[in-house]
Amino acid sequence: MDDIEAFWQRAQQHADLAQVSSYTGVNPLAVLRPPAWGFGATPEQADELLGLVLAGDKTATASALWDYESEGEEVPSEGTLGIVVDGSGTPRALVVTTRVRVVPFDEVDAAHARAEGEGDLTLEYWRRVHEDFFTRHASHDRGFVRDMPVVLEELRVLHAE
């Protein structure tokens, strides 16, 4: 059994998955292992941002919608589970998405910037570092533009190790 599968089995026992809504029948969240992913684009970013999540300071994240499209991935929705890994790929947290919005980059609000828990918690800081991130680490070929669509995701930790 790999590390992620072992983490998932422990998380299932400790996380209150019954509190995560399901539409019909058996809650698939208790059966299907969610995807594992890390924050940022480098091991250092993954560790730093995960640390903020584990400390309770980071309850939101942002991604370029164009990256989801170019990678053929679905945009998260409310109730989506994820296993967050650190920079070495070790699973550390089970999170659930509690809210998703898609807005133009230049319409991201100060409340979201604060919820991301990074830097000085201001919208100006958020815009500066995210413009840099979206410019340097995009998986799409459209470049950065101020009105590009951004997926704003709010997260809640269900289990952490």
Side-chain angles (χ1 to χ4, degrees):
M1 172 182 327
D2 68 16
D3 289 347
I4 293 173
E5 184 62 33
F7 174 88
W8 174 233
Q9 288 187 9
R10 291 189 305 274
Q12 284 177 296
Q13 293 173 7
H14 294 103
D16 190 3
L17 295 182
Q19 294 297 319
V20 179
S21 61
S22 176
Y23 293 106
T24 60
V26 175
N27 187 342
L29 300 177
V31 180
L32 302 174
R33 182 175 95 183
W37 52 271
F39 287 103
T42 67
E44 295 78 20
Q45 288 175 339
D47 287 342
E48 177 187 350
L49 299 175
L50 174 62
L52 293 172
V53 168
L54 296 176
D57 297 328
K58 181 174 182 63
T59 59
T61 194
S63 308
L65 177 63
W66 295 338
D67 286 344
Y68 284 102
E69 293 172 349
S70 72
E71 295 171 9
E73 291 185 25
E74 288 187 38
V75 172
S77 59
E78 184 176 328
T80 298
L81 290 178
I83 296 172
V84 184
V85 299
D86 64 19
S88 70
T90 302
R92 299 288 311 281
L94 175 66
V95 297
V96 62
T97 299
T98 59
R99 182 178 181 206
V100 177
R101 299 179 289 150
V102 179
V103 302
F105 178 88
D106 56 3
E107 293 181 24
V108 172
D109 56 32
H112 181 83
R114 279 190 305 278
E116 286 215 25
E118 302 169 37
D120 65 13
L121 305 181
T122 65
L123 183 56
E124 294 74 22
Y125 177 87
W126 184 93
R127 285 188 174 146
R128 186 173 62 253
V129 299
H130 283 79
E131 179 176 345
D132 178 65
F133 181 85
F134 293 147
T135 299
R136 294 177 25 171
H137 300 290
S139 63
H140 59 84
D141 59 3
R142 300 184 202 181
F144 172 82
V145 293
R146 297 210 62 80
D147 64 348
M148 64 185 278
V150 179
V151 178
L152 305 181
E153 190 176 354
E154 296 177 22
L155 307 168
R156 180 169 50 96
V157 175
L158 298 175
H159 175 72
E161 294 182 354

